[in-house]
Each structure stands twice: as structure tokens, then as C-alpha cells.
CSV table of all heavy atoms in Angstrom, one decimal:
chain,number,residue,atom,x,y,z
A,1,ARG,N,0.8,-1.2,0.0
A,1,ARG,CA,0.0,0.0,0.0
A,1,ARG,C,0.9,1.3,0.0
A,1,ARG,O,0.6,2.2,-0.7
A,1,ARG,CB,-0.9,0.0,1.2
A,1,ARG,CG,-1.9,1.1,1.3
A,1,ARG,CD,-2.9,0.9,2.4
A,1,ARG,NE,-3.7,2.1,2.6
A,1,ARG,CZ,-4.4,2.3,3.6
A,1,ARG,NH1,-4.5,1.4,4.5
A,1,ARG,NH2,-5.1,3.4,3.7
A,2,LEU,N,2.0,1.2,0.7
A,2,LEU,CA,2.9,2.3,0.8
A,2,LEU,C,3.5,2.6,-0.6
A,2,LEU,O,3.6,3.7,-1.0
A,2,LEU,CB,4.0,2.1,1.8
A,2,LEU,CG,5.0,3.2,2.1
A,2,LEU,CD1,4.3,4.5,2.6
A,2,LEU,CD2,6.0,2.8,3.1
A,3,ALA,N,3.9,1.5,-1.3
A,3,ALA,CA,4.5,1.6,-2.6
A,3,ALA,C,3.5,2.2,-3.6
A,3,ALA,O,3.9,3.1,-4.4
A,3,ALA,CB,5.1,0.3,-3.1
A,4,SER,N,2.3,1.7,-3.6
A,4,SER,CA,1.3,2.2,-4.5
A,4,SER,C,1.0,3.7,-4.2
A,4,SER,O,0.7,4.5,-5.1
A,4,SER,CB,0.1,1.4,-4.5
A,4,SER,OG,-0.6,1.5,-3.3
A,5,LYS,N,1.0,4.1,-2.9
A,5,LYS,CA,0.7,5.5,-2.6
A,5,LYS,C,1.8,6.4,-3.1
A,5,LYS,O,1.5,7.5,-3.6
A,5,LYS,CB,0.6,5.6,-1.1
A,5,LYS,CG,0.3,7.0,-0.6
A,5,LYS,CD,0.1,7.0,0.9
A,5,LYS,CE,-0.2,8.5,1.3
A,5,LYS,NZ,-0.3,8.6,2.8
A,6,THR,N,3.0,6.0,-3.0
A,6,THR,CA,4.1,6.9,-3.4
A,6,THR,C,4.2,7.0,-4.9
A,6,THR,O,4.6,8.0,-5.5
A,6,THR,CB,5.5,6.4,-2.9
A,6,THR,OG1,5.7,5.1,-3.3
A,6,THR,CG2,5.6,6.5,-1.4
A,7,ILE,N,3.7,5.9,-5.6
A,7,ILE,CA,3.8,6.0,-7.1
A,7,ILE,C,2.6,6.8,-7.6
A,7,ILE,O,2.8,7.6,-8.5
A,7,ILE,CB,3.8,4.6,-7.7
A,7,ILE,CG1,5.1,3.9,-7.4
A,7,ILE,CG2,3.5,4.6,-9.2
A,7,ILE,CD1,5.1,2.4,-7.7
A,8,SER,N,1.4,6.6,-7.1
A,8,SER,CA,0.2,7.2,-7.7
A,8,SER,C,0.0,8.6,-7.1
A,8,SER,O,-0.7,9.4,-7.7
A,8,SER,CB,-1.0,6.3,-7.4
A,8,SER,OG,-1.2,6.2,-6.0
A,9,GLN,N,0.5,8.9,-5.9
A,9,GLN,CA,0.2,10.2,-5.3
A,9,GLN,C,1.5,11.0,-5.1
A,9,GLN,O,2.5,10.3,-4.8
A,9,GLN,CB,-0.5,10.1,-4.0
A,9,GLN,CG,-1.9,9.4,-4.1
A,9,GLN,CD,-2.5,9.2,-2.8
A,9,GLN,OE1,-1.9,9.4,-1.8
A,9,GLN,NE2,-3.8,8.7,-2.8
A,10,PRO,N,1.5,12.3,-5.1
A,10,PRO,CA,2.7,13.0,-4.8
A,10,PRO,C,3.1,12.9,-3.4
A,10,PRO,O,2.2,12.5,-2.5
A,10,PRO,CB,2.3,14.5,-5.2
A,10,PRO,CG,0.8,14.5,-5.1
A,10,PRO,CD,0.4,13.1,-5.5
A,11,LEU,N,4.3,13.2,-3.0
A,11,LEU,CA,4.7,13.2,-1.7
A,11,LEU,C,3.9,14.2,-0.8
A,11,LEU,O,3.4,15.1,-1.3
A,11,LEU,CB,6.2,13.5,-1.6
A,11,LEU,CG,7.2,12.6,-2.3
A,11,LEU,CD1,8.6,13.2,-2.3
A,11,LEU,CD2,7.2,11.2,-1.7
A,12,GLU,N,3.8,13.9,0.5
A,12,GLU,CA,3.1,14.7,1.3
A,12,GLU,C,3.6,16.2,1.3
A,12,GLU,O,2.9,17.1,1.4
A,12,GLU,CB,3.0,14.2,2.7
A,12,GLU,CG,2.1,12.9,2.8
A,12,GLU,CD,2.0,12.4,4.2
A,12,GLU,OE1,2.4,13.1,5.2
A,12,GLU,OE2,1.6,11.2,4.3
A,13,ASN,N,5.0,16.3,1.3
A,13,ASN,CA,5.6,17.6,1.3
A,13,ASN,C,5.3,18.2,-0.1
A,13,ASN,O,5.3,19.4,-0.2
A,13,ASN,CB,7.1,17.5,1.5
A,13,ASN,CG,7.4,17.0,2.9
A,13,ASN,OD1,6.5,17.1,3.8
A,13,ASN,ND2,8.6,16.6,3.1
A,14,GLY,N,5.2,17.4,-1.1
A,14,GLY,CA,5.0,17.9,-2.4
A,14,GLY,C,6.2,18.5,-3.0
A,14,GLY,O,7.3,18.6,-2.4
A,15,PRO,N,6.1,18.9,-4.3
A,15,PRO,CA,7.3,19.5,-4.9
A,15,PRO,C,7.6,20.9,-4.3
A,15,PRO,O,6.7,21.5,-3.7
A,15,PRO,CB,6.9,19.7,-6.4
A,15,PRO,CG,5.5,19.1,-6.5
A,15,PRO,CD,5.0,18.7,-5.2
A,16,GLN,N,8.8,21.3,-4.4
A,16,GLN,CA,9.2,22.6,-3.9
A,16,GLN,C,8.5,23.7,-4.6
A,16,GLN,O,8.2,23.5,-5.8
A,16,GLN,CB,10.7,22.8,-4.0
A,16,GLN,CG,11.5,21.8,-3.2
A,16,GLN,CD,11.4,22.0,-1.7
A,16,GLN,OE1,11.3,23.2,-1.3
A,16,GLN,NE2,11.4,21.0,-0.9
A,17,PRO,N,8.2,24.8,-4.0
A,17,PRO,CA,7.6,25.9,-4.7
A,17,PRO,C,8.6,26.5,-5.7
A,17,PRO,O,9.8,26.3,-5.6
A,17,PRO,CB,7.3,26.9,-3.6
A,17,PRO,CG,8.3,26.6,-2.5
A,17,PRO,CD,8.5,25.1,-2.6
A,18,PRO,N,8.1,27.2,-6.7
A,18,PRO,CA,8.9,27.8,-7.7
A,18,PRO,C,10.0,28.8,-7.2
A,18,PRO,O,10.9,29.1,-7.9
A,18,PRO,CB,8.0,28.5,-8.7
A,18,PRO,CG,6.7,28.6,-8.0
A,18,PRO,CD,6.7,27.5,-6.9
A,19,GLY,N,9.8,29.3,-6.0
A,19,GLY,CA,10.8,30.2,-5.4
A,19,GLY,C,12.2,29.6,-5.3
A,19,GLY,O,13.1,30.3,-5.3
A,20,ILE,N,12.2,28.3,-5.2
A,20,ILE,CA,13.6,27.6,-5.1
A,20,ILE,C,14.3,27.8,-6.4
A,20,ILE,O,15.6,27.7,-6.4
A,20,ILE,CB,13.4,26.1,-4.7
A,20,ILE,CG1,14.7,25.5,-4.2
A,20,ILE,CG2,12.9,25.3,-5.9
A,20,ILE,CD1,15.0,25.9,-2.8
A,21,ILE,N,13.7,28.2,-7.4
A,21,ILE,CA,14.3,28.5,-8.7
A,21,ILE,C,14.4,30.0,-8.9
A,21,ILE,O,15.4,30.5,-9.4
A,21,ILE,CB,13.5,27.8,-9.9
A,21,ILE,CG1,13.5,26.3,-9.7
A,21,ILE,CG2,14.1,28.2,-11.2
A,21,ILE,CD1,14.8,25.6,-9.8
A,22,LYS,N,13.3,30.7,-8.5
A,22,LYS,CA,13.3,32.2,-8.8
A,22,LYS,C,14.3,33.0,-8.1
A,22,LYS,O,14.9,33.9,-8.6
A,22,LYS,CB,11.9,32.7,-8.4
A,22,LYS,CG,10.8,32.2,-9.3
A,22,LYS,CD,9.4,32.8,-8.8
A,22,LYS,CE,8.3,32.2,-9.6
A,22,LYS,NZ,7.0,32.7,-9.0
A,23,VAL,N,14.5,32.6,-6.8
A,23,VAL,CA,15.5,33.4,-6.0
A,23,VAL,C,16.9,33.3,-6.5
A,23,VAL,O,17.5,34.4,-6.8
A,23,VAL,CB,15.4,33.0,-4.5
A,23,VAL,CG1,16.5,33.7,-3.7
A,23,VAL,CG2,14.0,33.4,-4.0
A,24,PRO,N,17.5,32.1,-6.8
A,24,PRO,CA,18.8,32.1,-7.4
A,24,PRO,C,18.9,32.7,-8.8
A,24,PRO,O,19.9,33.3,-9.1
A,24,PRO,CB,19.2,30.6,-7.4
A,24,PRO,CG,18.2,29.9,-6.6
A,24,PRO,CD,17.0,30.8,-6.4
A,25,LEU,N,17.8,32.6,-9.5
A,25,LEU,CA,17.7,33.2,-10.8
A,25,LEU,C,17.9,34.7,-10.7
A,25,LEU,O,18.6,35.3,-11.5
A,25,LEU,CB,16.4,32.8,-11.5
A,25,LEU,CG,16.3,33.3,-13.0
A,25,LEU,CD1,17.3,32.6,-13.9
A,25,LEU,CD2,14.9,33.0,-13.4
A,26,LEU,N,17.1,35.3,-9.8
A,26,LEU,CA,17.2,36.8,-9.6
A,26,LEU,C,18.6,37.2,-9.1
A,26,LEU,O,19.1,38.2,-9.5
A,26,LEU,CB,16.1,37.2,-8.6
A,26,LEU,CG,16.0,38.7,-8.4
A,26,LEU,CD1,15.6,39.4,-9.7
A,26,LEU,CD2,14.9,39.0,-7.4
A,27,ILE,N,19.1,36.4,-8.1
A,27,ILE,CA,20.5,36.7,-7.6
A,27,ILE,C,21.5,36.7,-8.7
A,27,ILE,O,22.4,37.5,-8.8
A,27,ILE,CB,20.8,35.8,-6.5
A,27,ILE,CG1,19.9,36.1,-5.3
A,27,ILE,CG2,22.3,35.9,-6.1
A,27,ILE,CD1,20.0,35.1,-4.1
């Protein structure tokens, strides 16, 4: 059940927000 949950659903934390890309791009 754990394996099927991780494959079919995103992680609970989810992907990082786009800020993890925007801030270094701006810097």
C-alpha cells in the first residue's frame, strides 16, 4: 500500500515551490 501510494500520489511535502528556482535566478 505504501509503494502504490508513493507511485500514484505526490509526496506529502509535495514539490518545492517555484521560489527555489526564482530566487537564485534573480540573484
Side-chain angles (χ1 to χ4, degrees):
R1 185 171 169 195
L2 184 62
S4 67
K5 180 179 180 182
T6 57
I7 291 170
S8 63
Q9 297 176 355
L11 300 173
E12 290 181 14
N13 295 343
Q16 295 291 325
I20 198 79
I21 301 296
K22 291 178 188 175
V23 172
L25 184 67
L26 185 60
I27 291 170

